[in-house]
Amino acid sequence: MQRKRPFHVMIIPTLGCPSKCSYCWSSEEGSPVMSIDTVKEIVEWLKLFRDDPVTFTFHGGEPLLAGVEFYRKALPLLADGLSHLTPSFALQTNLWRLTPELAEVLKEYDVPIGSSLDGPKEINDLQRSEGYYDRTMRGYGIARDHGLSVQFICTFTSHSIKYKQEIFDFFMSNGLTLKLHPALPSLRSDEPERWALDPSEYGELLVYLLDRYLENMDRIEVRNINDLCRCVFSGRGTVCTFVDCMDNTFAVGPDGSIYPCYRFVGMPDYVMGDVRDHPSMDDLKRSEAWRRMNRFRECVEVHCRKCRHLRYCRGGCPYNAISHTDGEIRGVDPYCIAYKRIFDEITERFNREMLSSFGLQSSKPGIIALIRKIASKEEPKGL
């Protein structure tokens, strides 16, 4: 029997956020908060939308601004009302508003948490605002005390790339799993390029992290490297950056508008429908926003058709593509340079190591041990 393919719905309770991260693109002053009636409409929409398993991720802005009563009501509505879809949950938060009471609600539904730290306190607070580190770590303590799983995303910027060794050592010495993002040009900033990480620098960063990871596999997990290796050795994308996400990822904004992804929430040109209308997939495909997103697929077919990594890269992320072109899709993900760099590195190291059995030695750390580690360990595929 063929296993059903799960789909992903991101619920954005608000675009508001108490933090003022320098490179942020998703925080709005005075943003409204989603009502429970809208959650009920999400349930009604999805009851007949499709019959595959669904994962809900609460994202933002800062989703904990919705408050404990929102989650006390929303989680059972989704879990019970869509039980035939075996829903699972995740939450992306800076943890500032986590309370013991809210942690107990999240624990009842086994909600894993993704949060953000950009490294040691000085580096983190320079990029994410003064006091961020201490507030997040306080919330992290509450989460741990209540048995919640927390993993951190580290955003590398044009500034923090200079401290890559210190950042890696911080995550390793504190026993934290490392997942990283490159800072993008912000579509909502007067200085969109100030913090953005250059694609070539990002590629070299990934190779650096591959080296450090291979030297310290017993001390740290670098989720990006795991995911990139899975892509190469499974022949398919395993995280949202490297799949054709349009049929399987959706986001619902605070007002019930449906978007292709949380990153587009609040951008009118990317509204595909409204949960109150209970649209079918065909309804969504008839929207102008869907046709706009389909241009990315067309760009991939043109720009990437001769690339040996096409099967598992699929041109990268559509939002990354528009972040460098003032909101218009004119090409593929500009971090293509970085993806090729690390995909080539993984492939070539593996080939050299295989050849070493015939007497040819490689000066680089071996990668087969990492592949075995990945194959032997199931890990969550969160954000």
Side-chain angles (χ1 to χ4, degrees):
M1 183 176 178
Q2 187 175 8
R3 187 177 180 182
K4 290 183 177 181
R5 183 181 181 187
F7 69 108
H8 189 191
V9 177
M10 302 176 177
I11 297 177
I12 316 302
T14 180
L15 286 173
C17 182
S19 176
K20 301 297 178 187
C21 300
S22 301
Y23 47 79
C24 185
W25 43 263
S26 63
S27 179
E28 293 185 355
E29 294 288 341
S31 178
V33 175
M34 181 179 287
S35 69
I36 290 299
D37 284 341
T38 299
V39 177
K40 293 177 181 177
E41 293 291 353
I42 293 173
V43 172
E44 293 304 312
W45 167 46
L46 294 178
K47 276 183 178 178
L48 298 176
F49 183 67
R50 56 193 284 182
D51 62 357
D52 304 307
V54 61
T55 296
F56 291 102
T57 298
F58 295 95
H59 215 297
E62 174 44 61
L64 294 189
L65 288 176
V68 65
E69 288 305 315
F70 175 85
Y71 291 96
R72 202 188 301 279
K73 295 174 182 177
L75 286 166
L77 280 170
L78 295 163
D80 298 338
L82 298 170
S83 59
H84 62 296
L85 303 182
T86 59
S88 58
F89 301 99
L91 176 77
Q92 184 68 31
T93 169
N94 62 25
L95 292 168
W96 293 11
R97 299 299 178 94
L98 186 66
T99 64
E101 183 182 14
L102 182 47
E104 289 175 6
V105 174
L106 298 177
K107 180 60 179 176
E108 182 180 352
Y109 289 87
D110 294 320
V111 182
I113 292 175
S115 192
S116 297
L117 278 179
D118 289 353
K121 182 176 178 177
E122 182 179 347
I123 296 171
N124 180 87
D125 285 7
L126 175 66
Q127 297 188 165
R128 287 190 170 270
S129 72
E130 186 176 355
Y132 185 110
Y133 182 93
D134 289 338
R135 290 171 180 159
T136 293
M137 294 309 287
R138 278 196 296 271
Y140 180 45
I142 294 172
R144 285 188 305 174
D145 289 346
H146 287 80
L148 290 168
S149 170
V150 181
Q151 294 191 353
F152 290 99
I153 294 172
C154 175
T155 299
F156 276 85
T157 68
S158 57
H159 169 75
S160 65
I161 187 69
K162 295 176 285 190
Y163 304 97
K164 60 188 178 185
Q165 180 176 336
E166 291 91 331
I167 292 170
F168 182 92
D169 290 344
F170 167 82
F171 276 85
M172 184 166 63
S173 63
N174 285 281
L176 303 176
T177 295
L178 175 59
K179 182 180 179 183
L180 61 140
H181 284 169
L184 300 168
S186 173
L187 294 174
R188 305 182 189 189
S189 170
D190 295 332
E191 299 178 284
E193 299 286 347
R194 180 182 175 190
W195 297 93
L197 184 61
D198 178 79
S200 295
E201 284 191 297
Y202 183 44
E204 294 309 312
L205 172 64
L206 291 172
V207 174
Y208 169 81
L209 292 174
L210 174 62
D211 283 335
R212 294 295 309 275
Y213 187 21
L214 292 175
E215 293 164 357
N216 297 280
M217 277 191 286
D218 58 338
R219 300 180 61 193
I220 191 171
E221 290 279 347
V222 183
R223 289 187 60 192
N224 302 67
I225 301 301
N226 287 356
D227 293 331
L228 291 161
C229 287
R230 284 194 187 96
C231 286
V232 172
F233 293 102
S234 70
R236 60 183 181 83
T238 59
V239 290
C240 67
T241 302
F242 304 118
V243 294
D244 188 347
C245 59
M246 282 181 59
D247 293 323
N248 287 287
T249 300
F250 309 93
V252 180
D255 65 352
S257 296
I258 301 170
Y259 299 83
C261 173
Y262 79 99
R263 287 175 157 184
F264 295 96
V265 174
M267 299 173 67
D269 288 343
Y270 289 91
V271 174
M272 299 191 296
D274 192 295
V275 295
R276 293 168 186 80
D277 299 325
H278 307 162
S280 67
M281 181 70 82
D282 286 340
D283 292 332
L284 298 180
K285 288 182 178 180
R286 283 191 287 269
S287 68
E288 176 57 34
W290 185 282
R291 289 191 287 271
R292 183 185 294 266
M293 289 293 293
N294 203 55
R295 291 173 202 156
F296 181 76
R297 285 174 165 167
E298 295 168 357
C299 287
V300 170
E301 294 304 320
V302 172
H303 290 273
C304 306
R305 64 181 183 274
K306 295 182 180 180
C307 179
R308 65 172 171 166
H309 307 300
L310 175 60
R311 282 185 305 149
Y312 46 79
C313 179
R314 301 304 309 167
C317 173
Y319 183 86
N320 288 2
I322 74 166
S323 71
H324 287 73
T325 54
D326 299 321
E328 292 293 328
I329 292 176
R330 300 174 195 158
V332 299
D333 187 335
Y335 287 106
C336 169
I337 295 169
Y339 307 149
K340 282 183 178 178
R341 177 75 176 89
I342 189 62
F343 284 141
D344 285 344
E345 190 75 18
I346 291 168
T347 303
E348 290 165 10
R349 289 192 189 198
F350 176 77
N351 290 339
R352 286 197 300 266
E353 190 167 346
M354 292 298 291
L355 287 172
S356 70
S357 63
F358 298 98
L360 300 175
Q361 299 296 320
S362 170
S363 60
K364 294 285 188 180
I367 201 169
I368 289 177
L370 176 57
I371 299 167
R372 288 173 176 158
K373 175 183 176 179
I374 294 168
S376 67
K377 181 179 179 182
E378 286 291 328
E379 69 177 14
K381 304 293 194 305
L383 295 177

